[in-house]
Amino acid sequence: MTKAEFVSLVAAKASLTKKDAEAALDGVLETISEVLTKGDSVTFVGFGTFSVTERAARTAKVPSTGKEVKVPAKKVVKFKVGKNFKDAVAECKTCKKK
């Protein structure tokens, strides 16, 4: 699903114009990014939690050559799915299966 398709669905469900729905979505995504950048987490009860975690530096092997390379430490975003969301997806009868 593209952002435009998502905005259209949100606009219909929330009785908003597409322009207002897109502005709201952009605001939400920007706010989540700002909060995570500060090192805090964002929790939506029943949906899930976005958080930042630190990955340690490590040595990895390149499969095709067997050469070892150093991978530096970095921060990554994690998402832990909430129970309600997890259950809804698990029970979905109309979801496409791959």
Side-chain angles (χ1 to χ4, degrees), residues 45-72:
V45 176
F47 181 75
T49 301
F50 295 92
S51 61
V52 177
T53 189
E54 188 89 25
R55 282 202 183 151
R58 61 188 173 90
T59 302
K61 272 191 179 178
V62 178
S64 59
T65 63
K67 182 180 175 184
E68 289 188 352
V69 293
K70 292 183 179 182
V71 179

Side-chain angles (χ1 to χ4, degrees), residues 1 3-15 18 21:
M1 174 176 290
K3 181 180 176 183
E5 293 168 334
F6 186 78
V7 166
S8 293
L9 288 173
V10 170
K13 286 191 179 270
S15 300
K18 286 183 184 178

